[in-house]
Amino acid sequence: QVHVVESGGGLVQPGGPLRLSCAVSGGIFRIYDMGWYRQAPGKEREFVATINRSGGITNYADSVKGRFTISRDNAKNTVYLQSDGLNPEDTAVYYCNARLQITSCRPSTDYWGQGTQVTVSS
């Protein structure tokens, strides 16, 4: 069974750093795009950032552009989300997404982690 597990969330002060990790394990697969999404209380899940397989192409939501950085380590099947300046508005549950191809010549499928809570407060 494939597992997608986020880690690194918790209570962070405004302006403080953040480093989230998401590791994929449990099978033989090829990972294509990976990304981060978040959901605040009472709101729908929203896009945060994505990164392609090679790591050379990244996309960010306007709300986090310039403050967040997405990266990946394919040797570890892991994607990261890093920030050096969090705002209270960044408080949300952060979810990891990974598009996996488990078998060659078959369509890829999106897998989601269970989420990790990030609370930005002084």
Side-chain angles (χ1 to χ4, degrees):
Q1 182 177 1
V2 174
H3 298 274
V4 180
V5 182
E6 304 97 335
S7 62
L11 178 62
V12 185
Q13 292 186 334
L18 175 73
R19 185 173 175 83
L20 302 180
S21 299
C22 172
V24 182
S25 63
I28 301 175
F29 44 75
R30 179 182 295 273
I31 308 178
Y32 290 97
D33 289 359
M34 303 182 77
W36 289 94
Y37 298 75
R38 66 186 183 185
Q39 185 171 19
K43 298 183 179 180
E44 296 184 359
R45 185 176 300 183
E46 65 176 357
F47 160 77
V48 176
T50 56
I51 186 169
N52 74 332
R53 186 175 65 180
S54 69
I57 303 176
T58 58
N59 293 286
Y60 297 92
D62 290 340
S63 60
V64 304
K65 189 174 183 179
R67 299 188 299 112
F68 282 50
T69 301
I70 187 171
S71 61
R72 65 190 292 168
D73 185 342
N74 289 342
K76 298 181 179 179
N77 295 329
T78 300
V79 64
Y80 305 94
L81 184 68
Q82 183 176 339
S83 176
D84 59 357
L86 293 174
N87 298 324
E89 294 77 17
D90 296 320
T91 296
V93 177
Y94 284 71
Y95 296 91
C96 174
N97 172 267
R99 174 155 289 194
L100 309 180
Q101 186 181 43
I102 299 177
T103 304
S104 298
C105 302
R106 288 182 177 271
S108 59
T109 304
D110 286 342
Y111 287 79
W112 292 88
Q114 296 186 20
T116 182
Q117 176 71 49
V118 175
T119 302
V120 184
S121 177
S122 61

